[in-house]
Amino acid sequence: MKTVFKRTPSLKDTQTHYCPGCGHGLAHRLLAEAIDELGIHDRTIGIAPVGCAVLAYDYLDVDMIEVAHGRAPAVATGMKRTNPDKIIFSYQGDGDLAAIGTAEIIHAAHRAEQITVIFINNAVFGMTGGQMAPTTLLGQVTTTTPQGRQSNGQGFPLQISELLAILPGAIYVERCSVYNPAQISNTKKAIKHAFELQMNGAKGLSLVEVLSPCPTYWHMSPARSMEWIEKEMTKVFPLGKLKDIA
Amino acid sequence: MAGKIKINTERCKGCGLCITVCPKNGIVLSKHPNKHGYFPAQANNHDCNGCAACATICPDVVIEVSREVNIVEVKEIKKQNCGIKTKINY
């Protein structure tokens, strides 16, 4: 018998605080595996977001910093410019990146900063209690949209990846998901590719969006949440490579 | 039994995602809660082929998978035999 799957060293051997079936645990694992497989553990610096993944630095065994809400791309800019040999990534949720931090991510991409952004999109504000996020789907029931989100007054779901893909400074933008093992492998490939671009000194920002489940605030079982991503969420947020000019 | 999984039941949160992806229906939720109050996943390992789908989808990374022959080795054996069917212990 040969062990073919076990916890990767860059993922600390601790229990996470996430709810059962949360996608953050998966994203952390894929990130840690990508870091270990590329052998960049010693020179990687991560940025934890404000949101459910605020304690990501307790789970990922790389140097990490916690920054103000939404300002991760701005801090990453400074880190990369002063330490060009380091691999800098920011790990942000949709409340962090698509709501309060929209200006920072757009301008970081616009300036072609050589950083990697992992964007976890679960269409809801998880940490604060399931309120509507800019990425919430039309008709989706949240704490602040009890009748379901209506475009008249509450707007449409914000497609950050499409928005960034049109900027010349963004060199790699891909939207992935974690709803089945095949998609999980794809997501890992995308994260690795984004890191490889940064390692090779590609001039621009790389972003991997991960559609991730939030069973607690979608009021669904974990298995049903995965189905919901596949059937409903991917209609509004189509999966695939939006840009790869490397 | 070509494969075997080991579940850390004290870390498992009982989300049941592993159960949905297991092609052999080899995982069930335990009837006894762990110390955190979750009903963890339990493997019977009768028919496990070590595909690692359960470990791939586990959000809490509590599953460790081992198997008799690595898939890469199987591919190499197939390559060497140039399509001649041989019995592989897998």
Side-chain angles (χ1 to χ4, degrees):
Chain A
M1 282 281 198
K2 195 175 169 189
T3 304
V4 289
F5 189 101
K6 63 175 186 180
R7 186 178 273 265
T8 191
S10 285
L11 194 64
K12 286 183 192 167
D13 194 12
T14 51
Q15 180 151 30
T16 62
H17 71 282
Y18 301 122
C19 307
C22 176
H24 276 302
L26 276 168
H28 286 6
R29 195 198 89 214
L30 299 177
L31 196 49
E33 283 179 354
I35 289 169
D36 282 338
E37 283 172 23
L38 293 170
I40 49 170
H41 174 265
D42 293 341
R43 57 188 185 110
T44 301
I45 307 176
I47 303 178
V50 172
C52 281
V54 67
L55 299 174
Y57 45 76
D58 281 346
Y59 309 137
L60 291 168
D61 194 15
V62 292
D63 286 334
M64 292 205 61
I65 183 172
E66 172 66 47
V67 302
H69 201 3
R71 273 58 181 166
V75 177
T77 300
M79 284 157 73
K80 187 69 185 178
R81 287 187 180 191
T82 49
N83 299 283
D85 55 320
K86 300 279 189 253
I87 305 296
I88 311 288
F89 75 88
S90 78
Y91 182 99
Q92 300 179 267
D94 51 350
D96 195 72
L97 186 139
I100 194 166
T102 320
E104 278 73 16
I105 187 65
I106 287 180
H107 282 279
H110 174 62
R111 294 189 307 263
E113 298 299 344
Q114 295 171 40
I115 56 171
T116 298
V117 180
I118 313 294
F119 170 37
I120 308 296
N121 181 358
N122 59 11
V124 82
F125 287 162
M127 187 182 74
T128 48
Q131 290 86 358
M132 187 194 87
T135 45
T136 297
L137 269 53
L138 289 178
Q140 188 184 335
V141 174
T142 65
T143 318
T144 44
T145 56
Q147 259 77 51
R149 183 177 188 175
Q150 309 294 325
S151 58
N152 183 14
Q154 289 153 347
F156 294 91
L158 184 58
Q159 290 152 317
I160 283 284
S161 291
E162 278 83 350
L163 202 65
L164 293 177
I166 58 168
L167 298 175
I171 49 165
Y172 175 60
V173 182
E174 180 160 359
R175 187 183 281 124
C176 316
S177 185
V178 290
Y179 62 76
N180 65 25
Q183 292 297 333
I184 292 170
S185 308
N186 267 351
T187 308
K188 188 167 138 188
K189 270 184 216 156
I191 293 174
K192 267 177 92 170
H193 183 59
F195 276 132
E196 275 164 0
L197 285 175
Q198 196 183 150
M199 286 161 73
N200 298 338
K203 305 267 181 261
L205 181 134
S206 49
L207 180 135
V208 179
E209 175 174 351
V210 184
L211 302 183
S212 165
C214 179
T216 303
Y217 289 113
W218 292 357
H219 310 289
M220 293 173 194
S221 71
R224 175 87 187 82
S225 307
M226 293 299 195
E227 258 174 54
W228 194 78
I229 296 180
E230 186 180 2
K231 295 200 174 121
E232 303 296 328
M233 222 172 152
T234 50
K235 280 187 205 161
V236 183
F237 300 107
L239 302 181
K241 214 173 265 185
L242 292 152
K243 193 176 191 183
D244 187 4
I245 58 165
Chain B
M1 191 173 73
K4 195 182 171 191
I5 65 168
K6 203 168 87 188
I7 301 176
N8 184 346
T9 46
E10 283 309 317
R11 291 262 180 86
C12 177
K13 292 175 185 160
C15 70
L17 288 175
C18 50
I19 297 171
T20 64
V21 295
C22 180
K24 305 282 184 183
N25 296 322
I27 310 172
V28 287
L29 285 188
S30 168
K31 290 192 172 69
H32 305 286
N34 61 17
K35 68 178 177 193
H36 297 287
Y38 295 118
F39 292 90
Q42 238 180 1
N44 59 33
N45 276 324
H46 291 324
D47 206 12
C48 180
N49 61 6
C51 70
C54 52
T56 310
I57 207 162
C58 177
D60 295 289
V61 204
V62 299
I63 304 178
E64 207 178 284
V65 187
S66 44
R67 88 181 140 219
E68 296 281 353
V69 183
N70 198 318
I71 279 184
V72 180
E73 288 167 23
V74 173
K75 277 182 190 162
E76 277 171 10
I77 293 167
K78 277 183 184 167
K79 219 187 225 174
Q80 282 166 12
N81 291 330
C82 302
I84 302 160
K85 278 183 189 172
T86 45
K87 201 180 172 189
I88 296 161
N89 186 14
Y90 168 66

